[in-house]
Amino acid sequence: MAISLSLSELAQRIDGKIICGEAGSLFSGMAALDMAGADDISFLGNEKYLPQFLATKAGAVLVPTGYDFNTNGPALIAVENPSLAFGIVVKHFAAQAKSFRAGVHPSVSVSTNALFDPDKVCLHPGVVIMDGVSIGDGSEIGANTVIHENVVIGRDCNIGSNVTVRERSVLGDRVAIQPGAVIGSDGYGYEFSGGRHVKIDQVGIVEIGDDVEIGANTTIDRARFGKTIIGEGTKIDNLVQIGHNVVIGRHCLIVSQSGLAGSSKIEDYVTVAAQVGIVGHVVVGSKAILTARTGVTTDLEGGITYSGKPALPIKEDTKIQAHVRRLPQMLKRIKSLEKLLSRVD
Amino acid sequence: MAISLSLSELAQRIDGKIICGEAGSLFSGMAALDMAGADDISFLGNEKYLPQFLATKAGAVLVPTGYDFNTNGPALIAVENPSLAFGIVVKHFAAQAKSFRAGVHPSVSVSTNALFDPDKVCLHPGVVIMDGVSIGDGSEIGANTVIHENVVIGRDCNIGSNVTVRERSVLGDRVAIQPGAVIGSDGYGYEFSGGRHVKIDQVGIVEIGDDVEIGANTTIDRARFGKTIIGEGTKIDNLVQIGHNVVIGRHCLIVSQSGLAGSSKIEDYVTVAAQVGIVGHVVVGSKAILTARTGVTTDLEGGITYSGKPALPIKEDTKIQAHVRRLPQMLKRIKSLEKLLSRVD
Amino acid sequence: MAISLSLSELAQRIDGKIICGEAGSLFSGMAALDMAGADDISFLGNEKYLPQFLATKAGAVLVPTGYDFNTNGPALIAVENPSLAFGIVVKHFAAQAKSFRAGVHPSVSVSTNALFDPDKVCLHPGVVIMDGVSIGDGSEIGANTVIHENVVIGRDCNIGSNVTVRERSVLGDRVAIQPGAVIGSDGYGYEFSGGRHVKIDQVGIVEIGDDVEIGANTTIDRARFGKTIIGEGTKIDNLVQIGHNVVIGRHCLIVSQSGLAGSSKIEDYVTVAAQVGIVGHVVVGSKAILTARTGVTTDLEGGITYSGKPALPIKEDTKIQAHVRRLPQMLKRIKSLEKLLSRVD
């Protein structure tokens, strides 16, 4: 929170246009509309916050282009995407995320035949690196994280604390894994035989593309054989379950507490909102959007927004749900008809 | 399980009234109604267990005041809340929860500028304490738990094993965190730009009030900027997801596998039952009760019990769901009307 | 992937019948139908994969008995259960799962009065073994896993990395626990008193039968008093929540992200599919099947397949859901009747 920004510097950095305020005014911090003071920069990212905007004590506010604001209050800068622009402000002011410092803490357990340059990776206390692991330059591995045999980790990865990556998983470059996640756990597969569930060997791996992010305490099972695949650029939230042999395309979003059952496939640019369930062995087409808690039980065409269980195009599902809420009224109308007809009879 | 209690001592400790049984009878243990023997104290906490109560072999049973029991069996003590009273019995008999023993295990990794009194805290094996952490007297940190930079931990906290608390989180006094929980993971925020999801920096913190309890493997994301707040006295169960910038009031209950999306707010004394979902940017009013699996998509008034998705007052939702179950019958009535009318025509 | 198999050796090992192909052909690997090459063995486990089967380039495919296949392609072997048979192939070819190697890593923290034979167990780096723990021969404990006081672990158990097993839990023989799971966390129990939620002591234990498997990041709470019980042979998937005092029978399946609330009971051979919720204090009868996302709110008879919330026999629920989807049409029919009747009037 060190270096102040003037209004004009601010406008320049975020490629915005000063609507009102003096170019030389200085701002030293950032905060939400309802918590900001005269030294703070804030932003209006969502119309829902209009009341807070109108009451804000912020020194300067980033607002969307084209809005016609009338305030006697803060300095205003118009930008196309205030939320994105505020990210630049955050980058400027934030206590610098601790910069990468190479080094291997003495408490780290490293197998003799692991492959990495100790001057170019950062292994925090209590990390366990097993046989045959390779780690790319610039990668950081959080405290008490366990990397099992023959795992391959790319460059500039950021793996959090208390993570487990099981044997033979392959991670691309710039992969980020939040604390507590488990990569490569055994898939859930049993055959029922002789009155017991007999485990089916799970000997495949998990393969994670470049720029993937995986949330805290999320679990990704390795394939029965072959690969569970998370495509390049896909972002997975916390507490998500990815079953064995699932194939996820590139640049998908998978929000918290969703579950993808074994061998399901989602193509590129799919959005899976929170608490969604997808059964095994189905395909969700590219750019499909599954709204929160959708239950997918069959293949779904891409490019469409779905909701409900079973999943329907959202318009259809919304219409049906509106009818459900009118059911008591429908029954009354049936009763009226029955009364009328009993008279007619 | 050492010291026996006589019936009269028992009645006195729990402020109950002996209905039947000899004041001097001794009891040396405790058990559920269906597992108890003649030396055991048990309790009837719920009418559902009446059959087990009638068949119990317990030596003594705590029963609710006002019930008219006729048994030839166990000694009976009436108390207002048998479940609560039994807690006192449990406290008496239970193998003493291991008492707090100050000390820092030699395997602990402590940064040189961490702030705590090694004679007044308990750090178990494998704990990692990073730069600038401060820990209040009487606090215990479980084995292999990782406390990141500049975290502030109050007095008499109890943090379990394999927990991760990320940088700058602030914990009040008497906070309990169950094993595997992750506090302060990055929020899930991306902007779509150039065909890719670009991470929005998450530089805020998590602030946890006094007497909060957080369940096993629960995840709480830190704010994008500012704070994710868990109010004093709130109790969170296992596998719950709390998004970035969520604000939870005081003395709330949030049961297992529920998820609160980013920037949602729940006021004081709200009850969130299991598997509930709350979308981002909504407010749930004080003392609202969300029954299991409620899906909240808009602001909800306080003091009301809700169910369904979208959330409705439970009476309304229950009525609608009853109608849903009668749909096949409704269709029949419509068909009858159509038949009748075809005749009328 | 070392030793090749001839077609006749393969048929013999899996007790199958060669439909076509030369007995002496050699195969050196295994793969899914759509990824296999001429040297690979594959299998048709599910009719859904018929198109991939017809297009496969695999050298040999295991197919179900009784199907009448016409291909000019791969060698074919008929077996009753191709999926199960393929498991034998996997066992043959898979990079040998690392064999058990006894030993205690020097970084392990062991309390002096723990009970195990260091030449017959395998304790990986960073493991913490507290007072009074006993571990049976042949058991392996993953890196950075924490075993609390007085836990009893049977023979030939396989406990993953970063697992927490809390005090006095009892594990049978051949129990497998995936990484990140938490066994014996405190149950979620509070009494509301004086405007605050007061914690009810949780002093019971978790008891896990022989041959149980527990998924990654799954949480199992110990009993308030007495036992939370997981019956012999039961298999639990990832991210499942088991509340305090739950009793699970033998040989059950509990799939990912399901939650069983406190004191619920499921009998033997019950199947709980993904994202199911079961409220507290109910009983689900033996061999019941709960399909994905079923919501159980009352006792359920065994031997029946259920779906929906509240749970209904699946036929009934499916019928009702079909009616729900026809609601817009039903309303139209009511409107037609009303129009007709207004004319009749």
Side-chain angles (χ1 to χ4, degrees):
Chain A
M1 307 271 182
I3 311 147
S4 293
L5 275 179
S6 71
L7 191 65
S8 58
E9 284 170 329
L10 174 59
Q12 197 180 347
R13 274 175 193 247
I14 64 174
D15 199 15
K17 197 187 141 196
I18 298 177
I19 300 181
C20 61
E22 300 195 13
S25 310
L26 286 175
F27 305 101
S28 57
M30 60 179 179
L33 287 166
D34 54 352
M35 301 190 195
D39 294 338
D40 288 327
I41 301 164
S42 190
F43 75 110
L44 174 58
N46 188 318
E47 287 183 40
K48 282 202 57 155
Y49 293 107
L50 219 48
Q52 287 90 326
F53 170 69
L54 295 171
T56 190
K57 287 169 181 158
V61 180
L62 317 187
V63 297
T65 310
Y67 271 60
D68 185 18
F69 293 106
N70 287 303
T71 76
N72 296 317
L76 298 178
I77 297 181
V79 279
E80 203 164 327
N81 188 329
S83 179
L84 200 54
F86 195 70
I88 297 167
V89 178
V90 168
K91 267 203 171 30
H92 178 83
F93 281 117
Q96 278 309 92
K98 57 191 159 138
S99 48
F100 178 83
R101 277 181 299 173
V104 176
H105 192 272
S107 66
V108 171
S109 296
V110 184
S111 166
T112 46
N113 64 349
L115 226 87
F116 58 83
D117 181 339
D119 294 333
K120 291 186 175 157
V121 301
C122 173
L123 306 186
H124 286 278
V127 163
V128 177
I129 304 289
M130 297 191 175
D131 277 11
V133 168
S134 76
I135 306 174
D137 293 352
S139 286
E140 178 167 359
I141 299 188
N144 287 339
T145 280
V146 180
I147 310 293
H148 282 254
E149 289 83 354
N150 301 308
V151 166
V152 176
I153 297 177
R155 286 163 166 266
D156 301 315
C157 289
N158 191 324
I159 299 181
S161 302
N162 282 317
V163 167
T164 302
V165 183
R166 283 197 49 191
E167 55 271 32
R168 290 178 287 124
S169 299
V170 176
L171 280 63
D173 297 335
R174 297 171 305 280
V175 171
I177 303 182
Q178 300 287 320
V182 175
I183 312 301
S185 36
D186 279 5
Y188 188 76
Y190 303 91
E191 292 277 349
F192 193 66
S193 168
R196 310 179 72 83
H197 301 288
V198 180
K199 187 175 177 94
I200 298 173
D201 285 312
Q202 306 288 320
V203 301
I205 68 162
V206 174
E207 187 179 270
I208 296 177
D210 294 343
D211 300 302
V212 167
E213 182 156 347
I214 292 165
N217 284 346
T218 278
T219 55
I220 303 181
D221 286 344
R222 57 184 173 151
R224 180 182 167 191
F225 58 95
K227 301 172 181 177
T228 300
I229 297 173
I230 315 293
E232 179 200 336
T234 284
K235 311 296 186 184
I236 300 178
D237 200 356
N238 300 344
L239 293 172
V240 168
Q241 154 70 0
I242 307 291
H244 53 172
N245 292 87
V246 166
V247 176
I248 296 179
R250 296 174 312 129
H251 307 297
C252 294
L253 296 174
I254 303 181
V255 184
S256 183
Q257 296 179 323
S258 287
L260 279 68
S263 301
S264 60
K265 184 175 176 179
I266 67 176
E267 297 181 349
D268 298 344
Y269 293 106
V270 170
T271 298
V272 178
Q275 297 184 340
V276 165
I278 301 180
V279 300
H281 301 272
V282 299
V283 179
V284 177
S286 174
K287 298 190 182 170
I289 298 174
L290 309 178
T291 59
R293 219 179 265 179
T294 298
V296 179
T297 54
T298 56
D299 289 358
L300 292 182
E301 208 183 320
I304 295 174
T305 300
Y306 298 90
S307 68
K309 173 169 181 289
L312 292 173
I314 191 166
K315 263 194 188 168
E316 214 173 309
D317 183 56
T318 305
K319 190 176 168 187
I320 286 169
Q321 293 311 319
H323 278 78
V324 166
R325 284 191 295 280
R326 278 184 284 168
L327 266 174
Q329 187 207 329
M330 274 175 70
L331 186 59
K332 273 185 201 150
R333 287 164 76 172
I334 293 172
K335 282 182 183 163
S336 303
L337 287 167
E338 288 169 339
K339 207 177 272 178
L340 266 175
L341 266 178
S342 68
R343 271 193 283 146
V344 172
D345 269 0
Chain B
M1 306 271 182
I3 311 146
S4 294
L5 276 179
S6 71
L7 191 65
S8 57
E9 283 170 330
L10 174 59
Q12 197 180 346
R13 272 172 193 250
I14 64 174
D15 199 15
K17 195 186 141 196
I18 297 177
I19 300 181
C20 61
E22 298 195 15
S25 310
L26 287 176
F27 304 100
S28 57
M30 60 183 178
L33 287 166
D34 55 353
M35 300 190 194
D39 294 337
D40 288 328
I41 301 162
S42 190
F43 75 111
L44 175 59
N46 189 317
E47 286 183 40
K48 282 203 55 155
Y49 292 107
L50 219 49
Q52 286 89 325
F53 170 70
L54 295 172
T56 190
K57 286 168 180 162
V61 180
L62 317 186
V63 297
T65 310
Y67 271 61
D68 186 17
F69 293 104
N70 286 303
T71 77
N72 296 317
L76 298 177
I77 298 181
V79 279
E80 204 164 326
N81 188 330
S83 179
L84 200 55
F86 194 71
I88 298 169
V89 179
V90 169
K91 266 201 171 33
H92 177 83
F93 281 114
Q96 278 309 94
K98 59 191 157 135
S99 49
F100 177 82
R101 275 180 302 173
V104 176
H105 192 272
S107 66
V108 171
S109 296
V110 184
S111 164
T112 46
N113 65 349
L115 226 89
F116 58 84
D117 182 337
D119 294 333
K120 291 187 173 157
V121 302
C122 173
L123 306 186
H124 286 278
V127 164
V128 176
I129 305 290
M130 298 191 175
D131 277 11
V133 169
S134 76
I135 306 174
D137 293 351
S139 285
E140 178 167 0
I141 299 188
N144 287 339
T145 280
V146 180
I147 310 293
H148 283 254
E149 290 82 355
N150 300 309
V151 166
V152 176
I153 297 177
R155 288 163 166 267
D156 301 315
C157 289
N158 191 325
I159 300 181
S161 303
N162 282 317
V163 167
T164 302
V165 183
R166 284 201 43 195
E167 55 270 32
R168 289 178 288 125
S169 299
V170 177
L171 279 64
D173 296 335
R174 297 172 304 281
V175 171
I177 302 181
Q178 299 287 321
V182 176
I183 312 300
S185 36
D186 279 7
Y188 189 76
Y190 304 91
E191 292 277 350
F192 193 65
S193 171
R196 308 180 72 83
H197 301 287
V198 181
K199 187 175 176 94
I200 299 172
D201 286 314
Q202 305 288 321
V203 301
I205 67 163
V206 174
E207 187 179 273
I208 296 178
D210 294 342
D211 299 302
V212 166
E213 183 157 346
I214 292 165
N217 284 346
T218 277
T219 56
I220 303 181
D221 285 345
R222 56 186 174 148
R224 179 181 167 192
F225 57 94
K227 300 171 181 178
T228 300
I229 296 174
I230 314 294
E232 178 199 338
T234 285
K235 312 296 186 185
I236 301 177
D237 200 355
N238 300 346
L239 293 171
V240 169
Q241 153 70 359
I242 306 292
H244 53 171
N245 292 88
V246 165
V247 176
I248 297 179
R250 296 175 311 129
H251 307 298
C252 294
L253 296 175
I254 303 180
V255 184
S256 183
Q257 296 179 323
S258 287
L260 279 68
S263 301
S264 60
K265 183 175 177 179
I266 67 175
E267 298 181 349
D268 298 344
Y269 292 107
V270 170
T271 298
V272 177
Q275 298 184 339
V276 165
I278 302 180
V279 301
H281 301 272
V282 299
V283 179
V284 177
S286 173
K287 298 190 182 169
I289 297 173
L290 308 178
T291 58
R293 221 180 263 179
T294 297
V296 179
T297 54
T298 57
D299 289 359
L300 292 182
E301 207 183 322
I304 294 174
T305 300
Y306 297 90
S307 67
K309 172 172 182 286
L312 292 172
I314 191 167
K315 262 193 188 168
E316 214 174 308
D317 183 57
T318 305
K319 190 177 169 187
I320 287 168
Q321 293 312 318
H323 278 78
V324 167
R325 284 191 294 281
R326 277 184 285 168
L327 267 174
Q329 186 207 329
M330 272 175 72
L331 185 58
K332 274 186 201 150
R333 287 163 76 173
I334 293 173
K335 281 181 184 165
S336 302
L337 287 167
E338 289 170 338
K339 207 178 274 178
L340 267 174
L341 267 178
S342 67
R343 271 194 282 145
V344 172
D345 267 0
Chain C
M1 306 272 180
I3 310 146
S4 294
L5 275 180
S6 70
L7 191 65
S8 58
E9 282 170 332
L10 173 60
Q12 197 179 349
R13 273 175 194 246
I14 65 175
D15 199 14
K17 196 187 141 195
I18 299 177
I19 300 181
C20 60
E22 299 195 15
S25 311
L26 286 176
F27 305 99
S28 57
M30 59 180 179
L33 287 167
D34 54 352
M35 301 190 194
D39 294 338
D40 288 328
I41 301 163
S42 190
F43 75 109
L44 174 60
N46 188 317
E47 285 182 42
K48 281 202 57 155
Y49 293 107
L50 219 48
Q52 286 90 325
F53 170 69
L54 295 172
T56 191
K57 287 168 181 160
V61 181
L62 317 186
V63 296
T65 310
Y67 272 61
D68 186 16
F69 293 105
N70 287 303
T71 77
N72 297 317
L76 298 177
I77 297 180
V79 279
E80 203 163 329
N81 188 330
S83 178
L84 200 56
F86 195 71
I88 297 168
V89 179
V90 169
K91 267 202 171 34
H92 177 83
F93 282 114
Q96 278 310 92
K98 61 195 156 139
S99 49
F100 177 84
R101 276 181 299 172
V104 176
H105 192 272
S107 66
V108 171
S109 296
V110 184
S111 166
T112 45
N113 64 351
L115 226 88
F116 59 84
D117 181 339
D119 295 333
K120 292 188 174 156
V121 302
C122 172
L123 306 186
H124 286 277
V127 163
V128 177
I129 305 289
M130 298 191 173
D131 277 11
V133 168
S134 76
I135 307 174
D137 293 352
S139 286
E140 178 167 1
I141 299 187
N144 287 340
T145 280
V146 180
I147 310 293
H148 283 255
E149 289 83 354
N150 300 308
V151 166
V152 176
I153 297 176
R155 287 162 167 268
D156 301 315
C157 289
N158 191 324
I159 299 181
S161 302
N162 282 317
V163 168
T164 302
V165 183
R166 285 201 44 194
E167 55 270 33
R168 289 178 288 124
S169 299
V170 177
L171 280 65
D173 297 336
R174 297 171 305 280
V175 171
I177 302 181
Q178 299 286 320
V182 176
I183 311 300
S185 36
D186 279 6
Y188 188 76
Y190 304 91
E191 291 279 347
F192 193 65
S193 169
R196 308 181 73 83
H197 301 287
V198 181
K199 186 174 175 93
I200 299 173
D201 285 312
Q202 306 288 322
V203 301
I205 68 163
V206 174
E207 187 180 271
I208 296 177
D210 294 343
D211 300 302
V212 166
E213 183 156 346
I214 291 165
N217 284 347
T218 278
T219 56
I220 303 182
D221 286 346
R222 57 188 172 147
R224 179 182 170 191
F225 57 94
K227 301 172 181 177
T228 300
I229 297 174
I230 314 294
E232 179 200 337
T234 284
K235 312 296 185 185
I236 300 178
D237 200 354
N238 299 345
L239 293 171
V240 169
Q241 153 70 1
I242 306 292
H244 53 172
N245 292 87
V246 165
V247 176
I248 297 178
R250 296 175 311 129
H251 307 298
C252 294
L253 296 175
I254 303 180
V255 184
S256 183
Q257 296 179 321
S258 287
L260 280 68
S263 300
S264 61
K265 183 174 176 178
I266 66 175
E267 297 181 349
D268 298 344
Y269 293 106
V270 170
T271 298
V272 177
Q275 298 185 338
V276 165
I278 301 181
V279 301
H281 301 271
V282 299
V283 178
V284 177
S286 173
K287 298 190 182 168
I289 297 173
L290 309 177
T291 59
R293 219 179 265 179
T294 297
V296 179
T297 54
T298 57
D299 290 358
L300 292 182
E301 208 183 320
I304 294 174
T305 300
Y306 298 90
S307 67
K309 173 171 181 284
L312 292 173
I314 191 166
K315 263 195 188 168
E316 214 174 308
D317 182 56
T318 305
K319 190 178 170 187
I320 287 168
Q321 294 311 319
H323 279 77
V324 167
R325 284 191 296 279
R326 278 184 284 167
L327 267 174
Q329 186 207 330
M330 274 174 71
L331 185 59
K332 274 185 202 152
R333 287 164 76 173
I334 292 173
K335 281 181 184 163
S336 304
L337 288 167
E338 288 170 339
K339 208 178 272 178
L340 266 175
L341 266 178
S342 68
R343 270 193 282 147
V344 172
D345 268 2

